[in-house]
Amino acid sequence: MSISVEEFRVSAKAWLADNMPRIEDRDPTLDDPENDTASWNRTRELQKMLWNGGFAGIAFPSEYGGLGLTPEHQRAFNAESRPYELPFRINIPTLSICAATILDMGSEQQKRDRIGGALRGDELMVQFLSEPRGGSDLAGVTTRAERDGDVWILNGAKIWSSGAYAADYGLCLVRTDWSVPKHAGLTMFLVPVHADGVTIRRIRQVNGSTEFCEEFFDDVMLPADAVVGEVNGGWAVASRQLYWERTSMGGGSPYVSGVGRGVAPAASRPLTDLARSVGRLDDVKVRELIGESRANHLVQAALITRVGAGLAGGHLPGPSASMTRLFHAETDWRDSDIRLEIAGSAAVTGPTGEVGELFLNRQAGSLGGGSTEMARNVISERVLGMPREPAADRDVPFKDVKQGRA
């Protein structure tokens, strides 16, 4: 497909106006945590609408269901799509992390099946990375897979998987060799979420949401073609996955269906509207806060553009994506604080009570996609070249690494 960015923009603008629902007409009950299943069903429906209209997977290669266009074409579509209801919940992690990782590291069949399934709105994907006992040491996973003839038998547990209950497949990092150092004995698998032996439990958060899940794998049978990349080469796949996670959390992914992450309305509502609703729009201090937020978002947009260009042109190393991820977290944090300061006591009462609920979930921005502390470590060590922190388990066979209490 050959079309200029401007021609594509004009085409997208006309199609969106004729086919996609306006954001102001969106059913507000879909934002209720208790109505989560309906929200996911709506996400699939909207993605199918994009697919049928020829605007799904704009920057994904055409052989896997996309349009084969550039990130600039995707950004043009994003700009025109802002007034419309779009399937934002499919962006993270299905399209911008999981499908992007499979595009880079998966087999031809995995690319055709999983990327195509996601773009059609038929499938959702999730990440099975963190473990209950693992903390931030992703390479220290103990969920294991053992070969039994032509199949692998999976056992263990994962946690903090966003939307796992609604997904169809999960990218699952497990240990397949205990005789080598921790990074060398890992393998990435594509696990059918609802396969026999997989148990999913939803975790209720302080704001009432049950989006996060924990998973238990009991003798789950996986075929050989479930391996993504190479056996015992899972760290290379995980590293690429983390790159796309940081890129998407920072707002720089070219593989999304419109701009947005499916965040709560309170997080996207203009601060001027909030200030006006509580009668403080003329307050000089409030205007300064609104200006501060605006400046942060302008800097964030410029940072995304600069880092994205640097990564695409090879001028910046891959870990530089952590810079956009870190700044995104800091901006989200500050916005939550500013909203609370503007709303005052109204943050927990009346129509602006959602501001207080949003503040309860404030820390999420510093944890999703890896903690801000991890992002700072990545930037310091892998971008700035500062000395790495010492690690007692480096180059030690994982079976000899002490687990749990000494």
Side-chain angles (χ1 to χ4, degrees):
M1 183 176 183
S2 179
I3 183 173
S4 72
V5 173
E6 192 53 38
E7 289 173 327
F8 186 75
R9 181 192 299 275
V10 171
S11 175
K13 182 177 183 178
W15 182 85
L16 286 162
D18 290 341
N19 294 276
M20 296 303 285
R22 302 282 299 189
I23 192 68
E24 60 264 25
D25 298 327
R26 183 174 184 272
D27 182 357
T29 66
L30 295 176
D31 300 319
D32 187 339
E34 299 299 329
N35 205 17
D36 205 41
T37 299
S39 178
W40 279 114
N41 289 340
R42 180 60 170 167
T43 294
R44 291 177 185 258
E45 178 185 353
L46 291 167
Q47 183 64 29
K48 288 179 183 294
M49 292 169 68
L50 289 181
W51 169 265
N52 291 332
F55 288 94
I58 292 169
F60 278 104
S62 56
E63 57 264 37
Y64 307 127
L67 300 187
L69 298 175
T70 68
E72 287 73 24
H73 288 82
Q74 180 67 64
R75 284 193 285 271
F77 178 86
N78 292 347
E80 296 298 335
S81 69
R82 289 182 182 275
Y84 301 95
E85 183 184 8
L86 291 173
F88 294 144
R89 295 190 79 178
I90 203 173
N91 285 347
I92 299 176
T94 296
L95 294 179
S96 61
I97 303 176
C98 297
T101 301
I102 292 171
L103 178 63
D104 290 344
M105 309 298 291
S107 67
E108 281 299 307
Q109 195 62 49
Q110 289 168 347
K111 294 175 186 179
R112 295 182 188 279
D113 291 346
R114 302 288 77 82
I115 296 176
L119 294 181
R120 292 190 300 271
D122 293 337
E123 295 179 358
L124 299 171
M125 288 183 280
V126 68
Q127 301 187 93
F128 293 148
L129 296 179
S130 299
E131 296 189 356
R133 58 177 290 176
S136 61
D137 183 15
L138 181 58
V141 299
T142 57
T143 295
R144 64 191 184 278
E146 299 171 333
R147 191 190 295 269
D148 184 5
D150 294 332
V151 301
W152 292 87
I153 308 300
L154 175 66
N155 284 279
K158 297 288 183 177
I159 198 169
W160 306 126
S161 307
S162 299
Y165 60 91
D168 300 283
Y169 286 89
L171 281 171
C172 187
L173 185 66
V174 307
R175 189 159 303 283
T176 47
D177 189 345
W178 299 70
S179 67
V180 295
K182 61 183 182 181
H183 292 83
L186 302 171
T187 302
M188 188 72 74
F189 288 87
L190 262 171
V191 178
V193 170
H194 303 292
D196 290 342
V198 179
T199 301
I200 297 177
R201 296 179 184 169
R202 297 171 70 168
I203 302 169
R204 184 169 294 277
Q205 300 171 73
V206 69
N207 66 349
S209 171
T210 55
E211 182 185 14
F212 283 126
C213 301
E214 56 181 342
E215 301 80 34
F216 301 91
F217 309 105
D218 297 293
D219 293 330
V220 180
M221 297 180 63
L222 300 173
D225 62 6
V227 173
V228 180
E230 302 292 333
V231 173
N232 294 330
W235 187 248
V237 182
S239 296
R240 195 60 182 167
Q241 188 171 340
L242 291 174
Y243 164 80
W244 284 119
E245 184 178 46
R246 292 160 183 152
T247 299
S248 63
M249 293 300 293
S253 172
Y255 297 125
V256 294
S257 287
V259 60
R261 297 182 296 128
V263 296
S268 56
R269 186 163 295 135
L271 290 175
T272 50
D273 290 353
L274 173 62
R276 187 177 292 109
S277 70
V278 295
R280 300 190 65 192
L281 188 57
D282 293 330
D283 187 318
V284 174
K285 176 60 176 177
V286 168
R287 287 176 173 265
E288 289 177 349
L289 291 172
I290 294 173
E292 178 187 345
S293 174
R294 175 61 175 160
N296 286 340
H297 284 278
L298 288 173
V299 172
Q300 182 181 16
L303 182 65
I304 290 171
T305 299
R306 180 162 185 170
V307 172
L311 292 171
H315 311 304
L316 290 174
S320 298
S322 289
M323 292 190 290
T324 57
R325 183 263 170 274
L326 176 60
F327 197 83
H328 172 81
E330 297 288 347
T331 301
D332 267 11
W333 263 25
R334 186 59 186 138
D335 271 2
S336 293
D337 294 346
I338 288 174
R339 289 180 188 279
L340 190 70
E341 190 169 346
I342 291 175
S345 60
V348 293
T349 60
T352 57
E354 59 190 5
V355 173
E357 182 179 316
L358 177 68
F359 186 79
L360 291 177
N361 203 40
R362 175 182 184 273
Q363 299 301 111
S366 66
L367 297 173
S371 69
T372 53
E373 291 82 0
M374 290 172 61
R376 288 188 171 92
N377 273 356
V378 169
I379 294 168
S380 65
E381 295 174 1
R382 304 180 195 176
V383 179
L384 301 178
M386 298 175 70
R388 297 194 63 173
E389 293 183 345
D393 59 0
R394 188 169 295 156
D395 300 325
V396 177
F398 195 71
K399 62 183 177 60
D400 297 329
V401 176
K402 292 182 179 180
Q403 304 290 325
R405 297 180 179 177

